Amino acid sequence: LLTPYVPDKNISVSGEMIKLIDTYLSSSNILILSGMPGIGKDYLINAYINSTNRFDEISRYSIPVNHSDHPTFLEQELKDMPFQFYEKQENAISILQEKTEHTLLVIRKELLDKEDYRFLVNTFLNYNIRIIIITSSVTPTNYLDVLQTYYLTSLDTVTLKSILTAKCDTNTPDSFPLATDNEFKSLFKIVDNNIFVLSLLNKIIRTQPDKLTKVALLDESSWIWTST
């Protein structure tokens, strides 16, 4: 479903990562952001959008994971993409090609096929519209020279800490189990910097602060956790 972007004002990421994305989109109209699930790709893009006034029109398009034996190709998905903002239904690809550099389309597709990369290069490269693809795929080497790609291994410690402590009163010692940067770093290492786990911990700490103690959080043997 194509939806307008609604900003989350609670999201923030360090300036360096924001500058990096802005630099990519200044030199190329397509950015592929890849990385393992849960690493913070969506969070990073949300934070970038919140920080920029570059775009007048921002939309998202999420392509569901295909569990069948037949691959879902990006070309067909975009051709069928509904444009509820237009009176006349046209080929969505033609509409996108006419957009200016002040339009951003964020597409989430968990796995990109080689055909998807070919389609992006042949259909959108060097047009004005800015496109960010969020995926878990690694870009094939033969496309690295023509497509801006960034493989996210982890958000920085400051950002991870802000996710975990959001809406928690960290100025009150009893309100949050962890206090020092080293304690936060130890926890992030245990959960492989997984943003989903940190968000869940944030909710538990805010709603049931007695459930999690510093000892429990930092004791790796108390965790039943795997990144695979």
Side-chain angles (χ1 to χ4, degrees):
L1 178 64
L2 179 71
T3 58
Y5 173 74
V6 179
D8 183 345
K9 298 300 183 181
N10 294 316
I11 289 180
S12 62
V13 173
S14 67
E16 289 305 313
M17 301 188 84
I18 295 300
K19 290 178 183 177
L20 188 62
I21 294 177
D22 203 54
T23 299
Y24 282 154
L25 292 179
S26 296
S27 59
S28 178
N29 71 310
I30 301 174
L31 169 63
I32 297 178
L33 178 65
S34 62
M36 294 293 291
I39 207 69
K41 301 184 295 293
D42 290 281
Y43 193 97
L44 176 58
I45 296 305
N46 288 342
Y48 166 70
I49 292 173
N50 285 350
S51 72
T52 184
N53 56 7
R54 178 193 289 266
F55 305 106
D56 298 325
E57 181 182 359
I58 303 173
S59 299
R60 294 177 172 280
Y61 190 53
S62 294
I63 300 175
V65 176
N66 182 7
H67 296 289
S68 72
D69 295 331
H70 304 286
T72 300
F73 294 120
L74 187 57
E75 180 176 9
Q76 190 59 50
E77 288 288 337
L78 291 188
K79 281 183 178 178
D80 298 337
M81 183 170 63
F83 268 83
Q84 67 267 39
F85 315 116
Y86 295 84
E87 294 181 1
K88 181 182 178 182
Q89 179 62 43
E90 302 179 40
N91 184 316
I93 292 176
S94 299
I95 295 176
L96 293 173
Q97 289 176 328
E98 295 174 359
K99 292 292 184 177
T100 71
E101 68 273 16
H102 301 296
T103 297
L104 173 65
L105 175 62
V106 180
I107 300 173
R108 168 170 261 291
K109 189 172 189 286
E110 195 64 27
L111 296 176
L112 289 178
D113 190 273
K114 287 185 178 180
E115 182 66 20
D116 294 332
Y117 292 98
R118 183 204 61 79
F119 164 72
L120 286 170
V121 170
N122 292 341
T123 308
F124 290 114
L125 190 64
N126 297 325
Y127 277 79
N128 289 323
I129 185 174
R130 268 37 185 181
I131 299 175
I132 297 177
I133 309 287
I134 302 175
T135 182
S136 295
S137 300
V138 177
T139 304
T141 54
N142 55 315
Y143 286 103
L144 290 177
D145 291 336
V146 291
L147 290 174
Q148 287 281 16
T149 63
Y150 181 64
Y151 189 80
L152 183 66
T153 55
S154 173
L155 295 178
D156 59 279
T157 300
V158 173
T159 300
L160 293 172
K161 184 176 178 180
S162 71
I163 297 169
L164 185 56
T165 59
K167 301 179 182 179
C168 294
D169 185 6
T170 54
N171 294 321
T172 305
D174 294 336
S175 68
F176 201 86
L178 307 182
T180 69
D181 286 345
N182 285 337
E183 288 172 348
F184 282 103
K185 289 178 181 178
S186 296
L187 176 62
F188 300 153
K189 183 178 180 181
I190 291 173
V191 301
D192 293 330
N193 297 334
N194 191 297
I195 196 170
F196 295 145
V197 177
L198 298 180
S199 298
L200 178 59
L201 287 175
N202 170 282
K203 182 176 181 180
I204 296 173
I205 291 170
R206 283 190 289 114
T207 57
Q208 305 175 66
D210 295 335
K211 296 290 185 181
L212 293 175
T213 65
K214 179 189 297 189
V215 173
L217 286 171
L218 299 181
D219 181 7
E220 190 168 359
S221 65
S222 68
W223 282 80
I224 302 176
W225 166 254
T226 176
S227 59
T228 57

